[in-house]
Amino acid sequence: MMDILQKDIVLRTIDAAIGKQQVVQIKLKNTWRTVEPYLVGLHRVTRSPVLYGYCRDVVPDYKTPSRWEIFYLDEVDFAELTSYSFQPHIDYTGRMESIQPVHRRIKPLLDELATGCWPVRTLHSSPRKIRLSR
């Protein structure tokens, strides 16, 4: 079980990663996982803090048909930011019925499309948004 300080560091790291849309590595039960963090909140049934993310280190097969996964933050021993950023996947809606309330989330790509703004990245720059002409 994590102590309070360590738990706070994990939450702050994941919160920063969501805000920057940056990939994190989490240590979960002595196994490192590489995750694109999308939202953090409380699990509706257990009321435990959870992370919903897209796992970069999973290859879908018959045992694990999806890369989307919920991680219980009480089971995360360590979290660190990587230097990799990501853009929201098209199948991410920003809603997860089993996580209520949501404390922090990435805006879905469809929300950006609806506003007419699109994230643009050049080879040597960070993401910025431009308005598309209509």
Side-chain angles (χ1 to χ4, degrees):
M1 193 75 129
M2 290 190 294
D3 65 13
I4 293 173
L5 181 60
Q6 187 177 359
K7 187 175 190 177
D8 185 59
I9 292 169
V10 167
L11 285 171
R12 286 177 188 260
T13 302
I14 291 171
D15 186 62
I18 289 172
K20 296 176 182 178
Q21 290 184 202
Q22 218 168 336
V23 176
V24 292
Q25 287 195 309
I26 59 173
K27 187 175 181 186
L28 179 74
K29 298 180 183 177
N30 293 323
T31 303
W32 285 97
R33 303 294 306 274
T34 305
V35 178
E36 295 175 5
Y38 279 77
L39 57 86
V40 171
L42 295 179
H43 194 279
R44 197 171 83 199
V45 175
T46 65
R47 308 308 294 166
S48 298
V50 292
L51 163 66
Y52 177 67
Y54 185 84
C55 302
R56 286 189 162 194
D57 57 0
V58 171
V59 176
D61 61 13
Y62 70 95
K63 291 180 184 176
T64 52
S66 174
R67 289 181 151 188
W68 294 101
E69 199 168 324
I70 292 177
F71 299 95
Y72 283 88
L73 292 177
D74 289 339
E75 297 175 356
V76 175
D77 297 321
F78 190 77
E80 66 182 12
L81 291 172
T82 69
S83 59
Y84 301 104
S85 62
F86 66 93
Q87 294 299 323
H89 290 267
I90 194 72
D91 60 341
Y92 169 67
T93 63
R95 291 184 307 277
M96 171 51 76
E97 289 72 26
S98 60
I99 301 175
Q100 296 293 330
V102 172
H103 296 294
R104 176 93 159 165
R105 72 178 178 101
I106 290 175
K107 187 188 289 191
L109 182 61
L110 293 177
D111 286 357
E112 292 181 351
L113 292 174
T115 64
C117 292
W118 186 265
V120 174
R121 179 189 313 264
T122 60
L123 185 58
H124 299 290
S125 71
S126 59
R128 57 189 165 87
K129 293 188 179 181
I130 60 170
R131 179 154 295 279
L132 302 173
S133 60
R134 294 186 189 245

